[in-house]
Each structure stands twice: as structure tokens, then as C-alpha cells.
Amino acid sequence: MKKSVKLLLIAATAATALSACSKAPAKASEGSKEGSAYTIGIGQFAEHGSLDNCREGFLEGLKEEGIEENKNLTILYENAQADGGTASQIVNNFLSKKADLICAIATPMAQAAYSGAKKSEVPVIYTAVTDPVAAALAKEDGTSVGEVTGTSDKLPVEKQLEMIRKILPDAKTIGILYSTSEVNSEAAIAEYKAAAADYGFEIVEGPVSAPADIPLATDSLLQKVDCLNNLTDNTVVSSLPLILDKAAKKNIPVFGSEVEQVKIGCLAAMGLDYVDLGKQTGKMAAKVLKGEAKASEMNFEVIKEAAFYGNAKAAENLGITLPAELTDSAAEMFKEIKQ
């Protein structure tokens, strides 16, 4: 009887050892390049240069904080192609895959992410959100409404108007196309309208409800204005090549709001560096992932410095000379239009 018990104990000990051995490789892989300590879902609302730059900068910011893809980070990336319903589906997919954090790029994506993740308490870190307060992602004092925070790409409206006046001293009307479904654009329009008179301008609005509205809205607006000024409106930016082509045929300048828009043919912009914006966002996300702070404990952040970007080829095509006081201090001047 004693011998049987002894044999059973030996067998049980061997089984435990085998079980431990079978689990060992999985545990080891968590610290290896193949495994990952964190999973982040990156949801991008639309496909265009400035948002792509945000994503690139976000990953750079994480890497600088020791969180790097293929080492200790798994990235789930999806693009909503400027569709609100798709944005919500993307968030649900990230939650089903147990993402530790969601990075939401652009205002509609951030709103969908916070709404979808609120009950799960998965933190949302956003970037390229023009007005977090208007988007109901932050309170008036900048504090968070929940487990959500990030960075704002608030436009330097007065600096932009000042730049346009220097380049077009005789201009009176500025046309702005914008999507009525994007609160970021409505907030920017309100700010432009409030400041325009101080620089001798009148703002003429061109509201659209869908990308299909843009061709006719552009044609209508071009008949009423001396120039167009582009926002960071995701719906409109996606159709910017079309807008630039129509404006060029009427020899009407189009001003951008950031570097990528100037690269593809906007005359100039007092804009932000969206890679830097994304990098700042990545560092905020790293703090949350490492447990150094909760998203709800961090105010949203703003990049305050804007720089001049100009396109010499666009200026030549329009017969415009960009003032030396702008070009001499430019962050970057482009000699060709990127196709």
C-alpha cells in the first residue's frame, strides 16, 4: 500500500514538472521580440498626409519611451476611410481583441473611440483633435471627461490670416469648405469668422455633408472668393487634389493648414508639424501604458508653435511672389508640386 502511494506521488511530481515545462516557452516568448507586452489599436479616420504623419510620430514617441513594435508592442491598425459607422466598428474590433489602449487619430475617430470604450475603461489617447472641448472629450479647463486625453492640432487662425494678408494685400474674401458632420471644422470656422474682420477679410462658407458634395460646392465657392483656405477637415482634405485642380483653372490661390497640404499644391500655410504632434501623443500613451498616470489625470496638450511652409512652384503657377519676410524664415519651401 505504501509502495503504491509512493509511486502515485512520483507520477504526480513528474506530471507537474512536465506541465511547467510546457508553459515555459510561452512565458519566455513574452519578453522576446516575437512576444508583446502591450497591444494598441490605432484607428485613423481618413487617409491623408497629416494623419499619416500623426501615426508615424505616435510610434516614434512610443519607441523613445522604450515601447517598440516587434519587441514589446503589437499594433492593430485600421482606417475608417472617413466613415463614422466604420469608425465605431473599428473600436469594437479593438475591444474584442483586448487592446490595452486605443490611439484615435482625428476628431470623429476620437469621439467614436471614447464612446465605444467608455464602459470597458480601456484608455483612449487621441491626436489631431482640433477642439477637444467642443468634441466633448475634455472640460472647459482642459481636464478629461474620463479615461481619454491626447493632443490638439488647434489651428493658428490669426497667424494664418496675417500670412494671407501679407501674400494677398488686395484680397477681400476667403472661401472655406468644411464638413457639417465634423465638430472640429465647425469650431475652426467660428474662430475664423470671429477674427477675419481684424485683417480686412470676409469668410464665405462652403458646407458639405458628404464627399460627393465637394465638386459642386467648390465650383460655387470659387465664383465668390479671392482665395480658398483649407482646414484640417478630414472629408475635405481627402478631396484636396480635386479642389486644387479646380482652383488652378481659375487662377485662385488655395492656402493649406499644414505641411502635407503645401507639398501637394497649396500655396502656403502657417502650420504645425504633425509628426511632432504624433510624437507628443506617443509619449502620453507611454505614461498610461507604464502606469505612470491615468488618461483621466492628464490634460490634453497643444503644440503652440506654428511655422511657415511655402510652395514656390504653386506661387509661380499663380504669378504670385511670396514675401521675403515669410520665405526667409520658412520651416520648409517646396520647389515642386507632389503628385
Side-chain angles (χ1 to χ4, degrees), residues 78-100:
E78 293 191 48
N79 194 301
Q81 302 300 331
D83 183 87
T86 303
S88 297
Q89 291 171 12
I90 287 170
V91 174
N92 290 334
N93 184 42
F94 290 160
L95 294 173
S96 72
K97 293 183 177 178
K98 308 298 182 185
D100 298 303

mmCIF file of all heavy atoms in Angstrom, residues 78-100:
data_model
loop_
_atom_site.group_PDB
_atom_site.id
_atom_site.type_symbol
_atom_site.label_atom_id
_atom_site.label_comp_id
_atom_site.label_asym_id
_atom_site.label_seq_id
_atom_site.Cartn_x
_atom_site.Cartn_y
_atom_site.Cartn_z
ATOM 1 N N GLU A 78 -6.319 50.208 -38.252
ATOM 2 C CA GLU A 78 -7.432 50.231 -39.200
ATOM 3 C C GLU A 78 -7.773 51.674 -39.564
ATOM 4 O O GLU A 78 -7.620 52.587 -38.745
ATOM 5 C CB GLU A 78 -8.667 49.532 -38.620
ATOM 6 C CG GLU A 78 -8.481 48.028 -38.431
ATOM 7 C CD GLU A 78 -9.800 47.328 -38.121
ATOM 8 O OE1 GLU A 78 -10.776 47.589 -38.836
ATOM 9 O OE2 GLU A 78 -9.824 46.546 -37.154
ATOM 10 N N ASN A 79 -8.235 51.868 -40.807
ATOM 11 C CA ASN A 79 -8.605 53.187 -41.308
ATOM 12 C C ASN A 79 -10.094 53.206 -41.631
ATOM 13 O O ASN A 79 -10.601 52.320 -42.314
ATOM 14 C CB ASN A 79 -7.789 53.511 -42.560
ATOM 15 C CG ASN A 79 -7.870 54.969 -42.948
ATOM 16 O OD1 ASN A 79 -8.941 55.497 -43.202
ATOM 17 N ND2 ASN A 79 -6.723 55.620 -43.013
ATOM 18 N N ALA A 80 -10.797 54.233 -41.145
ATOM 19 C CA ALA A 80 -12.249 54.308 -41.323
ATOM 20 C C ALA A 80 -12.658 54.876 -42.672
ATOM 21 O O ALA A 80 -13.856 54.886 -42.995
ATOM 22 C CB ALA A 80 -12.863 55.157 -40.211
ATOM 23 N N GLN A 81 -11.683 55.368 -43.447
ATOM 24 C CA GLN A 81 -11.978 55.938 -44.770
ATOM 25 C C GLN A 81 -13.090 56.990 -44.693
ATOM 26 O O GLN A 81 -14.000 57.052 -45.517
ATOM 27 C CB GLN A 81 -12.358 54.828 -45.762
ATOM 28 C CG GLN A 81 -11.301 53.762 -45.949
ATOM 29 C CD GLN A 81 -9.968 54.311 -46.487
ATOM 30 O OE1 GLN A 81 -9.948 55.317 -47.194
ATOM 31 N NE2 GLN A 81 -8.855 53.656 -46.157
ATOM 32 N N ALA A 82 -12.998 57.843 -43.647
ATOM 33 C CA ALA A 82 -13.903 58.983 -43.447
ATOM 34 C C ALA A 82 -15.366 58.574 -43.257
ATOM 35 O O ALA A 82 -16.274 59.328 -43.599
ATOM 36 C CB ALA A 82 -13.775 59.988 -44.583
ATOM 37 N N ASP A 83 -15.596 57.406 -42.683
ATOM 38 C CA ASP A 83 -16.957 56.926 -42.451
ATOM 39 C C ASP A 83 -17.178 56.701 -40.949
ATOM 40 O O ASP A 83 -16.468 55.897 -40.329
ATOM 41 C CB ASP A 83 -17.195 55.620 -43.216
ATOM 42 C CG ASP A 83 -18.626 55.125 -43.046
ATOM 43 O OD1 ASP A 83 -19.497 55.553 -43.823
ATOM 44 O OD2 ASP A 83 -18.872 54.323 -42.124
ATOM 45 N N GLY A 84 -18.156 57.416 -40.380
ATOM 46 C CA GLY A 84 -18.396 57.335 -38.945
ATOM 47 C C GLY A 84 -18.816 55.954 -38.479
ATOM 48 O O GLY A 84 -18.400 55.500 -37.411
ATOM 49 N N GLY A 85 -19.645 55.269 -39.260
ATOM 50 C CA GLY A 85 -20.074 53.921 -38.897
ATOM 51 C C GLY A 85 -18.916 52.952 -38.851
ATOM 52 O O GLY A 85 -18.823 52.111 -37.939
ATOM 53 N N THR A 86 -18.014 53.087 -39.810
ATOM 54 C CA THR A 86 -16.829 52.233 -39.840
ATOM 55 C C THR A 86 -15.935 52.503 -38.639
ATOM 56 O O THR A 86 -15.341 51.583 -38.064
ATOM 57 C CB THR A 86 -16.042 52.452 -41.145
ATOM 58 O OG1 THR A 86 -16.895 52.198 -42.260
ATOM 59 C CG2 THR A 86 -14.823 51.540 -41.233
ATOM 60 N N ALA A 87 -15.843 53.771 -38.243
ATOM 61 C CA ALA A 87 -15.025 54.135 -37.080
ATOM 62 C C ALA A 87 -15.517 53.402 -35.834
ATOM 63 O O ALA A 87 -14.714 52.871 -35.051
ATOM 64 C CB ALA A 87 -15.067 55.645 -36.861
ATOM 65 N N SER A 88 -16.820 53.336 -35.650
ATOM 66 C CA SER A 88 -17.385 52.627 -34.494
ATOM 67 C C SER A 88 -17.094 51.130 -34.550
ATOM 68 O O SER A 88 -16.785 50.504 -33.534
ATOM 69 C CB SER A 88 -18.896 52.854 -34.429
ATOM 70 O OG SER A 88 -19.182 54.224 -34.225
ATOM 71 N N GLN A 89 -17.174 50.547 -35.752
ATOM 72 C CA GLN A 89 -16.869 49.125 -35.921
ATOM 73 C C GLN A 89 -15.408 48.838 -35.582
ATOM 74 O O GLN A 89 -15.085 47.805 -34.989
ATOM 75 C CB GLN A 89 -17.171 48.696 -37.349
ATOM 76 C CG GLN A 89 -18.658 48.681 -37.695
ATOM 77 C CD GLN A 89 -18.914 48.458 -39.174
ATOM 78 O OE1 GLN A 89 -18.011 48.098 -39.922
ATOM 79 N NE2 GLN A 89 -20.143 48.689 -39.600
ATOM 80 N N ILE A 90 -14.540 49.738 -35.979
ATOM 81 C CA ILE A 90 -13.106 49.580 -35.693
ATOM 82 C C ILE A 90 -12.866 49.528 -34.187
ATOM 83 O O ILE A 90 -12.107 48.692 -33.677
ATOM 84 C CB ILE A 90 -12.310 50.733 -36.337
ATOM 85 C CG1 ILE A 90 -12.252 50.547 -37.859
ATOM 86 C CG2 ILE A 90 -10.895 50.825 -35.758
ATOM 87 C CD1 ILE A 90 -11.690 51.742 -38.614
ATOM 88 N N VAL A 91 -13.496 50.434 -33.459
ATOM 89 C CA VAL A 91 -13.344 50.465 -31.999
ATOM 90 C C VAL A 91 -13.813 49.148 -31.381
ATOM 91 O O VAL A 91 -13.130 48.567 -30.528
ATOM 92 C CB VAL A 91 -14.131 51.653 -31.402
ATOM 93 C CG1 VAL A 91 -14.091 51.601 -29.877
ATOM 94 C CG2 VAL A 91 -13.556 52.975 -31.903
ATOM 95 N N ASN A 92 -14.953 48.654 -31.812
ATOM 96 C CA ASN A 92 -15.471 47.380 -31.288
ATOM 97 C C ASN A 92 -14.506 46.234 -31.576
ATOM 98 O O ASN A 92 -14.319 45.334 -30.746
ATOM 99 C CB ASN A 92 -16.837 47.078 -31.896
ATOM 100 C CG ASN A 92 -17.917 48.008 -31.387
ATOM 101 O OD1 ASN A 92 -17.801 48.550 -30.280
ATOM 102 N ND2 ASN A 92 -18.962 48.209 -32.175
ATOM 103 N N ASN A 93 -13.878 46.271 -32.732
ATOM 104 C CA ASN A 93 -12.910 45.239 -33.093
ATOM 105 C C ASN A 93 -11.695 45.291 -32.172
ATOM 106 O O ASN A 93 -11.211 44.251 -31.703
ATOM 107 C CB ASN A 93 -12.476 45.418 -34.550
ATOM 108 C CG ASN A 93 -11.544 44.323 -35.018
ATOM 109 O OD1 ASN A 93 -11.737 43.157 -34.721
ATOM 110 N ND2 ASN A 93 -10.500 44.699 -35.755
ATOM 111 N N PHE A 94 -11.206 46.510 -31.892
ATOM 112 C CA PHE A 94 -10.063 46.660 -30.982
ATOM 113 C C PHE A 94 -10.403 46.125 -29.589
ATOM 114 O O PHE A 94 -9.588 45.455 -28.948
ATOM 115 C CB PHE A 94 -9.650 48.129 -30.878
ATOM 116 C CG PHE A 94 -9.018 48.704 -32.113
ATOM 117 C CD1 PHE A 94 -8.973 50.078 -32.311
ATOM 118 C CD2 PHE A 94 -8.443 47.891 -33.076
ATOM 119 C CE1 PHE A 94 -8.384 50.618 -33.440
ATOM 120 C CE2 PHE A 94 -7.850 48.420 -34.212
ATOM 121 C CZ PHE A 94 -7.831 49.789 -34.396
ATOM 122 N N LEU A 95 -11.607 46.415 -29.143
ATOM 123 C CA LEU A 95 -12.019 45.961 -27.811
ATOM 124 C C LEU A 95 -12.138 44.439 -27.762
ATOM 125 O O LEU A 95 -11.762 43.813 -26.769
ATOM 126 C CB LEU A 95 -13.356 46.604 -27.429
ATOM 127 C CG LEU A 95 -13.332 48.127 -27.224
ATOM 128 C CD1 LEU A 95 -14.741 48.653 -27.013
ATOM 129 C CD2 LEU A 95 -12.434 48.508 -26.050
ATOM 130 N N SER A 96 -12.636 43.849 -28.846
ATOM 131 C CA SER A 96 -12.767 42.389 -28.882
ATOM 132 C C SER A 96 -11.409 41.700 -28.889
ATOM 133 O O SER A 96 -11.277 40.563 -28.439
ATOM 134 C CB SER A 96 -13.572 41.962 -30.118
ATOM 135 O OG SER A 96 -12.820 42.136 -31.313
ATOM 136 N N LYS A 97 -10.394 42.404 -29.386
ATOM 137 C CA LYS A 97 -9.035 41.848 -29.421
ATOM 138 C C LYS A 97 -8.225 42.229 -28.185
ATOM 139 O O LYS A 97 -7.011 42.047 -28.153
ATOM 140 C CB LYS A 97 -8.328 42.300 -30.696
ATOM 141 C CG LYS A 97 -8.955 41.691 -31.954
ATOM 142 C CD LYS A 97 -8.213 42.092 -33.215
ATOM 143 C CE LYS A 97 -8.835 41.409 -34.434
ATOM 144 N NZ LYS A 97 -8.172 41.800 -35.706
ATOM 145 N N LYS A 98 -8.919 42.774 -27.180
ATOM 146 C CA LYS A 98 -8.315 43.077 -25.881
ATOM 147 C C LYS A 98 -7.166 44.085 -25.968
ATOM 148 O O LYS A 98 -6.121 43.920 -25.320
ATOM 149 C CB LYS A 98 -7.813 41.797 -25.195
ATOM 150 C CG LYS A 98 -8.841 40.681 -25.091
ATOM 151 C CD LYS A 98 -10.041 41.091 -24.262
ATOM 152 C CE LYS A 98 -11.047 39.947 -24.119
ATOM 153 N NZ LYS A 98 -12.284 40.367 -23.408
ATOM 154 N N ALA A 99 -7.349 45.135 -26.749
ATOM 155 C CA ALA A 99 -6.329 46.193 -26.821
ATOM 156 C C ALA A 99 -6.163 46.840 -25.447
ATOM 157 O O ALA A 99 -7.140 47.048 -24.724
ATOM 158 C CB ALA A 99 -6.732 47.239 -27.848
ATOM 159 N N ASP A 100 -4.922 47.126 -25.079
ATOM 160 C CA ASP A 100 -4.647 47.782 -23.798
ATOM 161 C C ASP A 100 -4.948 49.275 -23.867
ATOM 162 O O ASP A 100 -5.191 49.912 -22.834
ATOM 163 C CB ASP A 100 -3.173 47.586 -23.411
ATOM 164 C CG ASP A 100 -2.825 46.124 -23.234
ATOM 165 O OD1 ASP A 100 -3.480 45.471 -22.405
ATOM 166 O OD2 ASP A 100 -1.915 45.638 -23.929
#
